[in-house]
Amino acid sequence: MGKKLYVGNLGQNIGKNDLEQMFTAYGTVISAQVINDRETGQSKGFGFAEMGTDQEAQAAITALSGKSMDGRSLMVNEARPQEGGRGGGGRGGGGGGGGGRRGGGSGRY
């Protein structure tokens, strides 16, 4: 399995293809994505690239972290796992279900 990298401080003009091309020089790029704002569709200034091996990922980090692109200094490091994930939404729904029993719960209906 590949290693996912976080790429921060991207310029507004950098797209998925640009990001993929940037990392291809250091190995196999499994996936590349730039995160966009849901409402405006504009880049949020960060993205992710998944490299084929740990060695390729390390080579990309070493070469690209701090590199100037579009007048911005890139920040490239190993991505951290998402916190919360899908479980976060389920908990909110469960709390609402429990509120329906406030009427006494003794079966006096």
Coordinates of all heavy atoms in Angstrom, one line a residue:
M1 N 0.8 -1.2 0.0 CA 0.0 0.0 0.0 C 0.9 1.2 0.0 O 2.0 1.3 0.6 CB -0.9 0.0 1.2 CG -2.0 1.0 1.2 SD -3.2 0.7 2.5 CE -3.3 2.3 3.2
G2 N 0.4 2.3 -0.6 CA 1.1 3.5 -0.7 C 1.1 4.4 0.6 O 0.5 4.0 1.5
K3 N 1.8 5.5 0.5 CA 1.9 6.4 1.6 C 1.2 7.7 1.2 O 1.6 8.3 0.2 CB 3.3 6.6 2.1 CG 3.4 7.6 3.1 CD 4.4 7.4 4.2 CE 4.6 6.0 4.7 NZ 5.1 6.0 6.1
K4 N 0.3 8.2 2.0 CA -0.5 9.4 1.7 C 0.3 10.6 2.3 O 0.7 10.6 3.5 CB -1.9 9.3 2.2 CG -2.8 10.3 1.7 CD -4.3 10.0 2.0 CE -5.2 10.8 1.2 NZ -6.6 10.5 1.4
L5 N 0.4 11.6 1.5 CA 1.1 12.8 1.9 C 0.2 14.0 1.9 O -0.7 14.1 1.0 CB 2.3 13.1 0.9 CG 3.3 12.0 0.8 CD1 4.4 12.5 -0.2 CD2 4.0 11.7 2.1
Y6 N 0.3 14.9 2.9 CA -0.4 16.1 3.0 C 0.5 17.2 2.3 O 1.7 17.3 2.4 CB -0.6 16.5 4.4 CG -1.0 18.0 4.6 CD1 -2.4 18.3 4.5 CD2 -0.1 19.0 4.9 CE1 -2.8 19.6 4.7 CE2 -0.5 20.3 5.1 CZ -1.9 20.6 5.0 OH -2.3 21.9 5.1
V7 N -0.2 18.0 1.4 CA 0.5 19.1 0.7 C -0.2 20.4 1.1 O -1.4 20.6 0.7 CB 0.5 18.8 -0.8 CG1 1.4 19.9 -1.5 CG2 0.9 17.4 -1.1
G8 N 0.5 21.3 1.8 CA -0.1 22.5 2.2 C 0.5 23.7 1.6 O 1.6 23.7 1.0
N9 N -0.2 24.8 1.7 CA 0.2 26.1 1.2 C 0.2 26.2 -0.3 O 1.1 26.8 -0.9 CB 1.6 26.5 1.8 CG 1.7 28.1 1.9 OD1 0.7 28.8 1.9 ND2 2.9 28.5 1.9
L10 N -0.7 25.5 -0.9 CA -0.9 25.5 -2.4 C -1.5 26.8 -2.9 O -2.4 27.3 -2.3 CB -1.7 24.3 -2.9 CG -1.2 22.9 -2.7 CD1 -2.3 21.9 -3.0 CD2 0.0 22.7 -3.6
G11 N -1.0 27.3 -4.0 CA -1.6 28.4 -4.7 C -3.0 28.1 -5.2 O -3.3 27.0 -5.5
Q12 N -3.8 29.1 -5.4 CA -5.2 29.0 -5.9 C -5.3 28.4 -7.3 O -6.3 27.8 -7.7 CB -5.9 30.3 -5.9 CG -6.2 30.9 -4.5 CD -7.1 30.0 -3.7 OE1 -8.2 29.6 -4.1 NE2 -6.7 29.6 -2.5
N13 N -4.2 28.5 -8.1 CA -4.2 28.0 -9.4 C -3.7 26.6 -9.6 O -3.7 26.1 -10.7 CB -3.3 28.9 -10.3 CG -3.8 30.4 -10.3 OD1 -4.9 30.6 -10.3 ND2 -2.8 31.3 -10.4
I14 N -3.4 25.9 -8.5 CA -2.9 24.6 -8.5 C -4.1 23.6 -8.5 O -4.9 23.7 -7.6 CB -1.9 24.2 -7.3 CG1 -0.8 25.2 -7.3 CG2 -1.5 22.8 -7.4 CD1 0.2 25.1 -8.5
G15 N -4.1 22.7 -9.5 CA -5.2 21.8 -9.6 C -4.7 20.4 -9.4 O -3.5 20.1 -9.2
K16 N -5.6 19.4 -9.5 CA -5.3 18.0 -9.3 C -4.1 17.5 -10.3 O -3.2 16.9 -9.9 CB -6.5 17.1 -9.6 CG -6.2 15.7 -9.5 CD -7.5 14.8 -9.9 CE -7.0 13.4 -9.9 NZ -7.9 12.6 -10.7
N17 N -4.3 17.9 -11.6 CA -3.2 17.5 -12.5 C -1.9 18.1 -12.2 O -0.9 17.4 -12.4 CB -3.7 17.9 -14.0 CG -4.9 17.1 -14.4 OD1 -5.1 16.0 -13.9 ND2 -5.6 17.6 -15.3
D18 N -1.9 19.4 -11.8 CA -0.6 20.0 -11.4 C 0.0 19.3 -10.2 O 1.3 19.0 -10.2 CB -0.8 21.5 -11.0 CG -1.5 22.3 -12.1 OD1 -1.0 22.2 -13.3 OD2 -2.4 23.0 -11.9
L19 N -0.8 18.9 -9.3 CA -0.3 18.2 -8.1 C 0.3 16.9 -8.5 O 1.4 16.5 -8.0 CB -1.4 18.1 -7.0 CG -1.0 17.6 -5.7 CD1 -0.1 18.6 -5.0 CD2 -2.3 17.5 -4.8
E20 N -0.4 16.1 -9.3 CA 0.0 14.8 -9.7 C 1.3 14.9 -10.5 O 2.3 14.2 -10.3 CB -1.0 14.2 -10.6 CG -0.7 12.8 -11.0 CD -1.9 12.1 -11.7 OE1 -3.0 12.6 -11.7 OE2 -1.6 11.0 -12.2
Q21 N 1.4 15.9 -11.4 CA 2.6 16.1 -12.1 C 3.8 16.5 -11.3 O 5.0 16.0 -11.5 CB 2.4 17.2 -13.2 CG 3.4 17.3 -14.3 CD 2.9 18.2 -15.4 OE1 2.2 19.2 -15.1 NE2 3.4 18.0 -16.6
M22 N 3.6 17.3 -10.2 CA 4.6 17.7 -9.3 C 5.3 16.4 -8.6 O 6.5 16.4 -8.4 CB 4.0 18.6 -8.2 CG 4.9 19.3 -7.3 SD 4.1 20.2 -6.0 CE 2.6 20.9 -6.7
F23 N 4.4 15.5 -8.2 CA 4.9 14.3 -7.5 C 5.4 13.2 -8.4 O 6.2 12.3 -7.9 CB 3.8 13.8 -6.5 CG 3.7 14.6 -5.3 CD1 2.9 15.8 -5.3 CD2 4.4 14.3 -4.2 CE1 2.9 16.6 -4.2 CE2 4.3 15.0 -3.0 CZ 3.5 16.2 -3.0
T24 N 5.0 13.1 -9.6 CA 5.4 12.1 -10.6 C 7.0 12.0 -10.7 O 7.5 10.9 -10.9 CB 4.8 12.3 -11.9 OG1 3.4 12.2 -11.8 CG2 5.2 11.3 -12.9
A25 N 7.6 13.1 -10.5 CA 9.1 13.1 -10.6 C 9.8 12.2 -9.6 O 10.9 11.8 -9.7 CB 9.6 14.5 -10.6
Y26 N 9.0 11.9 -8.5 CA 9.6 11.1 -7.4 C 9.1 9.7 -7.2 O 9.4 9.0 -6.3 CB 9.4 11.9 -6.1 CG 9.9 13.3 -6.3 CD1 9.0 14.4 -6.6 CD2 11.3 13.6 -6.2 CE1 9.5 15.6 -6.8 CE2 11.8 14.8 -6.5 CZ 10.9 15.9 -6.8 OH 11.4 17.1 -7.0
G27 N 8.3 9.3 -8.2 CA 7.8 7.9 -8.2 C 6.4 7.8 -8.7 O 5.8 8.7 -9.3
T28 N 5.7 6.7 -8.4 CA 4.4 6.4 -8.8 C 3.4 7.1 -8.0 O 3.4 7.0 -6.7 CB 4.1 4.9 -8.8 OG1 5.1 4.2 -9.5 CG2 2.7 4.5 -9.2
V29 N 2.5 7.9 -8.6 CA 1.5 8.6 -7.9 C 0.2 7.8 -8.0 O -0.3 7.7 -9.1 CB 1.3 10.1 -8.5 CG1 0.2 10.8 -7.7 CG2 2.6 10.9 -8.4
I30 N -0.3 7.3 -6.9 CA -1.5 6.5 -6.9 C -2.7 7.4 -7.0 O -3.6 7.1 -7.7 CB -1.5 5.6 -5.6 CG1 -0.4 4.6 -5.7 CG2 -2.9 4.9 -5.5 CD1 -0.2 3.8 -4.4
S31 N -2.7 8.5 -6.3 CA -3.8 9.4 -6.4 C -3.3 10.8 -6.0 O -2.3 11.0 -5.3 CB -5.0 9.0 -5.4 OG -4.6 9.1 -4.1
A32 N -4.0 11.8 -6.5 CA -3.7 13.2 -6.1 C -5.0 14.0 -6.1 O -5.9 13.8 -6.9 CB -2.8 13.8 -7.1
Q33 N -5.2 14.8 -5.1 CA -6.4 15.6 -5.0 C -6.1 16.9 -4.3 O -5.3 17.0 -3.4 CB -7.6 14.9 -4.3 CG -7.3 14.6 -2.8 CD -8.5 13.9 -2.2 OE1 -8.3 12.8 -1.6 NE2 -9.7 14.4 -2.2
V34 N -6.8 18.0 -4.8 CA -6.7 19.3 -4.2 C -8.1 19.5 -3.6 O -9.1 19.2 -4.2 CB -6.5 20.4 -5.3 CG1 -6.6 21.8 -4.6 CG2 -5.1 20.2 -5.9
I35 N -8.1 19.9 -2.3 CA -9.4 20.1 -1.6 C -10.0 21.4 -1.9 O -9.3 22.4 -1.8 CB -9.2 19.9 -0.1 CG1 -8.5 18.6 0.3 CG2 -10.5 20.1 0.7 CD1 -9.2 17.4 -0.2
N36 N -11.3 21.4 -2.4 CA -12.0 22.6 -2.7 C -13.1 22.9 -1.7 O -13.7 22.0 -1.1 CB -12.6 22.5 -4.1 CG -11.5 22.4 -5.2 OD1 -10.5 23.0 -5.1 ND2 -11.7 21.5 -6.2
D37 N -13.4 24.2 -1.6 CA -14.5 24.6 -0.8 C -15.8 24.2 -1.4 O -16.0 24.3 -2.6 CB -14.5 26.2 -0.7 CG -15.5 26.7 0.3 OD1 -16.7 26.9 -0.2 OD2 -15.3 26.9 1.5
R38 N -16.7 23.6 -0.7 CA -18.0 23.1 -1.2 C -18.9 24.2 -1.8 O -19.5 24.0 -2.8 CB -18.8 22.4 -0.1 CG -18.2 21.1 0.3 CD -19.1 20.4 1.3 NE -18.4 19.2 1.8 CZ -18.8 18.6 2.9 NH1 -19.8 19.0 3.6 NH2 -18.1 17.5 3.3
E39 N -18.8 25.4 -1.2 CA -19.7 26.4 -1.6 C -19.2 27.2 -2.8 O -19.9 27.5 -3.8 CB -20.0 27.4 -0.5 CG -20.9 26.7 0.6 CD -21.2 27.7 1.8 OE1 -21.0 28.9 1.6 OE2 -21.5 27.2 2.8
T40 N -17.9 27.6 -2.8 CA -17.3 28.4 -3.8 C -16.6 27.6 -4.9 O -16.4 28.1 -6.0 CB -16.2 29.4 -3.2 OG1 -15.1 28.6 -2.7 CG2 -16.9 30.2 -2.1
G41 N -16.2 26.3 -4.6 CA -15.5 25.5 -5.6 C -14.0 25.9 -5.7 O -13.3 25.3 -6.4
Q42 N -13.6 26.9 -4.9 CA -12.2 27.3 -5.0 C -11.3 26.4 -4.1 O -11.8 25.9 -3.1 CB -12.0 28.8 -4.6 CG -12.7 29.7 -5.6 CD -12.2 31.1 -5.5 OE1 -11.5 31.4 -4.5 NE2 -12.5 31.9 -6.4
S43 N -10.0 26.3 -4.4 CA -9.1 25.6 -3.6 C -9.0 26.1 -2.2 O -9.0 27.3 -2.0 CB -7.7 25.6 -4.3 OG -6.8 25.1 -3.4
K44 N -8.9 25.2 -1.3 CA -8.7 25.6 0.1 C -7.2 25.7 0.4 O -6.8 26.0 1.6 CB -9.3 24.5 1.1 CG -10.8 24.6 1.1 CD -11.3 23.7 2.3 CE -12.7 23.9 2.6 NZ -13.2 23.2 3.8
G45 N -6.4 25.5 -0.6 CA -4.9 25.7 -0.4 C -4.2 24.5 0.1 O -3.0 24.6 0.5
F46 N -4.8 23.3 0.1 CA -4.1 22.1 0.5 C -4.7 20.9 -0.3 O -5.7 21.0 -0.9 CB -4.2 21.8 2.0 CG -5.5 21.4 2.5 CD1 -5.9 20.1 2.7 CD2 -6.5 22.4 2.9 CE1 -7.1 19.7 3.2 CE2 -7.7 22.0 3.4 CZ -8.0 20.7 3.5
G47 N -3.9 19.8 -0.2 CA -4.4 18.6 -0.9 C -3.6 17.4 -0.4 O -2.9 17.5 0.6
F48 N -3.8 16.3 -1.1 CA -3.1 15.1 -0.8 C -2.6 14.4 -2.0 O -3.2 14.4 -3.1 CB -4.1 14.1 -0.1 CG -4.7 14.7 1.2 CD1 -5.8 15.4 1.2 CD2 -4.0 14.6 2.4 CE1 -6.3 16.0 2.4 CE2 -4.5 15.1 3.6 CZ -5.6 15.8 3.6
A49 N -1.5 13.7 -1.8 CA -0.9 12.9 -2.9 C -0.5 11.5 -2.3 O 0.1 11.5 -1.2 CB 0.3 13.5 -3.5
E50 N -0.9 10.5 -2.9 CA -0.5 9.1 -2.4 C 0.6 8.5 -3.3 O 0.3 8.4 -4.5 CB -1.7 8.2 -2.3 CG -1.4 6.9 -1.7 CD -2.6 6.0 -1.5 OE1 -3.8 6.5 -1.8 OE2 -2.5 4.9 -1.0
M51 N 1.7 8.2 -2.7 CA 2.8 7.7 -3.5 C 2.8 6.2 -3.4 O 2.3 5.6 -2.4 CB 4.1 8.2 -2.9 CG 4.2 9.8 -3.0 SD 4.1 10.4 -4.7 CE 5.7 9.9 -5.4
G52 N 3.4 5.5 -4.3 CA 3.4 4.0 -4.4 C 4.2 3.3 -3.3 O 3.7 2.3 -2.8
T53 N 5.3 3.9 -2.8 CA 6.1 3.3 -1.7 C 6.5 4.3 -0.7 O 6.5 5.5 -1.0 CB 7.4 2.6 -2.3 OG1 8.2 3.6 -2.8 CG2 7.0 1.6 -3.4
D54 N 6.9 3.8 0.4 CA 7.4 4.7 1.5 C 8.7 5.5 1.0 O 8.8 6.6 1.3 CB 7.8 3.9 2.7 CG 6.6 3.4 3.5 OD1 5.4 3.7 3.1 OD2 6.8 2.6 4.4
Q55 N 9.5 4.8 0.2 CA 10.7 5.4 -0.3 C 10.4 6.6 -1.2 O 11.0 7.6 -1.2 CB 11.6 4.4 -1.0 CG 12.2 3.3 -0.1 CD 11.3 2.2 0.3 OE1 10.2 2.1 -0.3 NE2 11.6 1.4 1.3
E56 N 9.4 6.4 -2.1 CA 9.0 7.4 -3.0 C 8.4 8.6 -2.3 O 8.7 9.8 -2.6 CB 8.0 6.9 -4.0 CG 8.6 5.9 -5.0 CD 7.6 5.2 -5.8 OE1 6.4 5.2 -5.5 OE2 8.0 4.6 -6.9
A57 N 7.6 8.3 -1.2 CA 7.0 9.3 -0.4 C 8.1 10.1 0.3 O 8.0 11.4 0.3 CB 6.1 8.7 0.6
Q58 N 9.1 9.5 0.8 CA 10.2 10.2 1.5 C 11.0 11.1 0.6 O 11.3 12.2 0.9 CB 11.1 9.2 2.2 CG 12.1 9.9 3.2 CD 11.4 10.8 4.2 OE1 10.5 10.4 4.9 NE2 11.8 12.0 4.3
A59 N 11.2 10.6 -0.7 CA 11.9 11.3 -1.7 C 11.1 12.6 -2.0 O 11.7 13.7 -2.2 CB 12.2 10.5 -2.9
A60 N 9.8 12.5 -2.1 CA 9.0 13.6 -2.5 C 9.0 14.6 -1.3 O 9.0 15.8 -1.6 CB 7.5 13.2 -2.8
I61 N 8.9 14.2 -0.1 CA 8.9 15.0 1.1 C 10.2 15.8 1.1 O 10.2 17.1 1.2 CB 8.7 14.3 2.4 CG1 7.3 13.7 2.5 CG2 9.0 15.1 3.6 CD1 7.1 12.7 3.6
T62 N 11.3 15.1 0.9 CA 12.6 15.8 1.0 C 12.8 16.8 -0.1 O 13.3 17.9 0.1 CB 13.7 14.7 0.8 OG1 13.6 13.8 1.9 CG2 15.1 15.3 0.9
A63 N 12.3 16.5 -1.3 CA 12.5 17.4 -2.5 C 11.5 18.6 -2.5 O 11.9 19.7 -2.9 CB 12.4 16.6 -3.7
L64 N 10.3 18.3 -2.0 CA 9.3 19.4 -2.2 C 8.9 20.2 -1.0 O 8.4 21.3 -1.2 CB 8.0 18.7 -2.7 CG 8.1 18.0 -4.1 CD1 6.8 17.3 -4.5 CD2 8.4 19.1 -5.2
S65 N 9.2 19.7 0.2 CA 8.9 20.5 1.4 C 9.8 21.7 1.4 O 11.0 21.6 1.4 CB 9.1 19.6 2.6 OG 8.6 20.3 3.8
G66 N 9.2 22.9 1.5 CA 9.9 24.1 1.5 C 10.1 24.7 0.1 O 10.6 25.9 0.0
K67 N 9.9 23.9 -0.9 CA 10.1 24.4 -2.3 C 9.1 25.5 -2.6 O 7.9 25.5 -2.3 CB 9.9 23.3 -3.3 CG 10.1 23.7 -4.7 CD 10.0 22.5 -5.7 CE 10.2 23.0 -7.1 NZ 10.0 21.9 -8.1
S68 N 9.6 26.6 -3.3 CA 8.7 27.7 -3.7 C 8.0 27.4 -4.9 O 8.5 27.0 -5.9 CB 9.6 28.9 -3.9 OG 8.7 30.0 -4.2
M69 N 6.6 27.6 -4.9 CA 5.8 27.4 -6.1 C 4.7 28.4 -6.1 O 4.0 28.6 -5.1 CB 5.1 26.0 -6.0 CG 4.2 25.7 -7.2 SD 3.8 24.0 -7.2 CE 4.3 23.6 -8.8
D70 N 4.7 29.2 -7.2 CA 3.7 30.3 -7.3 C 3.9 31.3 -6.1 O 3.0 31.9 -5.6 CB 2.3 29.9 -7.3 CG 1.9 29.2 -8.6 OD1 2.7 29.3 -9.6 OD2 0.8 28.6 -8.7
G71 N 5.2 31.5 -5.7 CA 5.5 32.4 -4.6 C 5.1 32.0 -3.2 O 5.2 32.7 -2.3
R72 N 4.8 30.7 -3.1 CA 4.5 30.1 -1.8 C 5.4 29.0 -1.5 O 5.8 28.2 -2.4 CB 3.0 29.6 -1.8 CG 2.0 30.6 -2.0 CD 0.6 29.9 -2.2 NE -0.4 30.9 -2.0 CZ -1.3 30.8 -1.0 NH1 -1.2 29.9 -0.1 NH2 -2.2 31.7 -0.9
S73 N 5.8 28.8 -0.2 CA 6.6 27.7 0.2 C 5.8 26.5 0.6 O 5.0 26.6 1.5 CB 7.4 28.2 1.4 OG 8.3 27.2 1.9
L74 N 5.9 25.5 -0.2 CA 5.1 24.3 0.0 C 5.4 23.6 1.3 O 6.6 23.6 1.8 CB 5.3 23.2 -1.1 CG 4.9 23.6 -2.5 CD1 5.2 22.5 -3.5 CD2 3.4 23.9 -2.5
M75 N 4.4 23.0 1.9 CA 4.6 22.2 3.1 C 4.1 20.8 2.8 O 3.0 20.6 2.4 CB 3.7 22.7 4.3 CG 3.9 22.0 5.6 SD 3.2 22.8 7.0 CE 1.4 22.5 6.7
V76 N 5.1 19.8 2.8 CA 4.8 18.4 2.4 C 5.2 17.5 3.6 O 6.4 17.6 4.0 CB 5.5 18.0 1.1 CG1 5.2 16.6 0.7 CG2 5.2 19.0 0.0
N77 N 4.3 16.7 4.1 CA 4.6 15.8 5.1 C 3.6 14.6 5.1 O 2.7 14.6 4.3 CB 4.7 16.4 6.5 CG 3.5 17.2 6.9 OD1 2.4 16.8 6.6 ND2 3.6 18.4 7.4
E78 N 3.9 13.6 5.9 CA 3.1 12.4 5.9 C 1.7 12.8 6.5 O 1.6 13.5 7.5 CB 3.7 11.4 6.8 CG 3.1 10.0 6.7 CD 3.8 8.9 7.5 OE1 5.0 9.0 7.6 OE2 3.1 8.0 7.9
A79 N 0.6 12.4 5.8 CA -0.7 12.7 6.2 C -1.1 12.0 7.5 O -0.7 10.8 7.6 CB -1.7 12.4 5.1
R80 N -1.8 12.6 8.4 CA -2.3 12.0 9.6 C -3.6 11.3 9.3 O -4.4 11.8 8.4 CB -2.5 13.0 10.7 CG -1.1 13.5 11.2 CD -1.3 14.5 12.3 NE -1.6 15.8 11.6 CZ -2.1 16.9 12.2 NH1 -2.3 16.9 13.5 NH2 -2.3 18.0 11.6
P81 N -4.0 10.3 9.9 CA -5.3 9.6 9.7 C -6.4 10.6 10.1 O -6.2 11.4 11.0 CB -5.3 8.4 10.6 CG -3.9 8.2 11.1 CD -3.2 9.5 10.9
Q82 N -7.5 10.5 9.4 CA -8.7 11.3 9.7 C -9.2 11.0 11.1 O -9.2 9.8 11.5 CB -9.8 11.1 8.8 CG -9.6 11.7 7.4 CD -10.8 11.6 6.5 OE1 -11.5 10.5 6.6 NE2 -11.1 12.6 5.8
E83 N -9.6 12.0 11.9 CA -10.1 11.8 13.2 C -11.6 11.8 13.1 O -12.2 12.6 12.4 CB -9.6 12.8 14.2 CG -8.1 12.7 14.4 CD -7.6 13.7 15.4 OE1 -8.4 14.4 16.1 OE2 -6.4 13.9 15.5
G84 N -12.3 11.0 13.9 CA -13.7 11.0 13.9 C -14.3 10.1 12.8 O -15.1 9.2 13.1
G85 N -14.0 10.3 11.6 CA -14.4 9.5 10.5 C -16.0 9.5 10.4 O -16.6 10.5 10.7
R86 N -16.5 8.4 10.0 CA -17.9 8.3 9.8 C -18.7 8.2 11.1 O -19.9 8.5 11.1 CB -18.2 7.0 9.0 CG -17.7 7.1 7.6 CD -18.0 5.8 6.8 NE -17.5 5.8 5.5 CZ -18.3 6.0 4.4 NH1 -19.6 6.2 4.6 NH2 -17.8 6.1 3.2
G87 N -18.0 7.7 12.1 CA -18.7 7.6 13.4 C -19.3 8.8 14.0 O -20.2 8.8 14.8
G88 N -18.7 10.0 13.7 CA -19.1 11.3 14.3 C -20.6 11.6 14.0 O -21.3 12.1 14.8
G89 N -21.0 11.3 12.7 CA -22.4 11.7 12.4 C -23.4 10.8 13.0 O -24.5 11.2 13.4
G90 N -23.1 9.6 13.3 CA -24.0 8.6 13.9 C -24.3 8.9 15.3 O -25.4 8.8 15.8
R91 N -23.3 9.5 16.0 CA -23.6 9.8 17.4 C -24.6 10.9 17.6 O -25.4 10.9 18.5 CB -22.3 10.2 18.1 CG -21.4 9.0 18.4 CD -20.2 9.5 19.2 NE -19.3 10.0 18.2 CZ -18.3 10.8 18.5 NH1 -18.1 11.2 19.7 NH2 -17.5 11.3 17.5
G92 N -24.6 11.9 16.7 CA -25.6 12.9 16.8 C -27.0 12.4 16.6 O -27.9 12.8 17.3
G93 N -27.2 11.5 15.7 CA -28.6 10.9 15.5 C -29.0 10.1 16.7 O -30.2 10.1 17.1
G94 N -28.1 9.4 17.4 CA -28.4 8.6 18.5 C -29.0 9.4 19.7 O -29.9 9.0 20.4
G95 N -28.4 10.6 19.9 CA -28.8 11.5 21.0 C -30.2 11.9 20.8 O -31.0 12.0 21.7
G96 N -30.6 12.2 19.6 CA -32.0 12.6 19.3 C -33.0 11.5 19.6 O -34.1 11.8 20.0
G97 N -32.6 10.3 19.3 CA -33.5 9.2 19.5 C -33.8 9.0 21.0 O -34.9 8.7 21.4
G98 N -32.8 9.2 21.8 CA -33.0 9.1 23.3 C -33.9 10.1 23.9 O -34.6 9.9 24.8
G99 N -34.0 11.3 23.2 CA -34.8 12.4 23.7 C -36.3 12.1 23.6 O -37.1 12.7 24.3
G100 N -36.7 11.2 22.8 CA -38.1 10.8 22.6 C -38.7 10.1 23.8 O -39.9 10.0 23.9
R101 N -37.9 9.7 24.7 CA -38.4 8.9 25.8 C -38.7 9.8 27.1 O -39.0 9.3 28.1 CB -37.5 7.8 26.2 CG -37.3 6.8 25.2 CD -36.4 5.7 25.7 NE -35.8 5.0 24.6 CZ -34.6 4.4 24.7 NH1 -34.0 4.3 25.8 NH2 -34.1 3.8 23.7
R102 N -38.6 11.1 26.9 CA -38.7 12.0 28.1 C -40.1 11.9 28.7 O -40.2 12.4 29.8 CB -38.4 13.4 27.7 CG -36.9 13.6 27.5 CD -36.7 15.1 27.3 NE -35.5 15.2 26.5 CZ -35.1 16.3 25.9 NH1 -35.8 17.4 26.0 NH2 -34.0 16.4 25.2
G103 N -41.1 11.5 28.1 CA -42.4 11.5 28.6 C -42.6 10.6 29.8 O -43.7 10.6 30.4
G104 N -41.6 10.0 30.3 CA -41.8 9.2 31.5 C -41.3 7.8 31.3 O -40.9 7.1 32.2
G105 N -41.5 7.2 30.1 CA -40.9 5.9 29.9 C -41.6 4.8 30.7 O -41.1 3.7 30.7
S106 N -42.6 5.0 31.4 CA -43.2 4.0 32.3 C -44.3 3.2 31.6 O -44.9 2.4 32.2 CB -43.8 4.6 33.6 OG -44.8 5.5 33.2
G107 N -44.6 3.6 30.3 CA -45.6 2.9 29.6 C -47.0 3.4 29.8 O -48.0 2.7 29.5
R108 N -47.2 4.6 30.4 CA -48.5 5.1 30.7 C -49.0 5.9 29.5 O -49.3 7.1 29.6 CB -48.4 6.0 31.9 CG -48.1 5.3 33.1 CD -48.2 6.3 34.3 NE -46.8 6.9 34.4 CZ -46.6 8.0 35.0 NH1 -47.6 8.7 35.5 NH2 -45.4 8.5 35.1
Y109 N -49.2 5.3 28.3 CA -49.7 6.1 27.2 C -51.1 5.6 26.8 O -51.6 4.7 26.8 CB -48.8 5.9 26.0 CG -47.5 6.6 26.1 CD1 -46.3 5.9 26.5 CD2 -47.4 7.9 25.9 CE1 -45.2 6.6 26.7 CE2 -46.2 8.6 26.0 CZ -45.1 7.9 26.4 OH -43.9 8.6 26.6

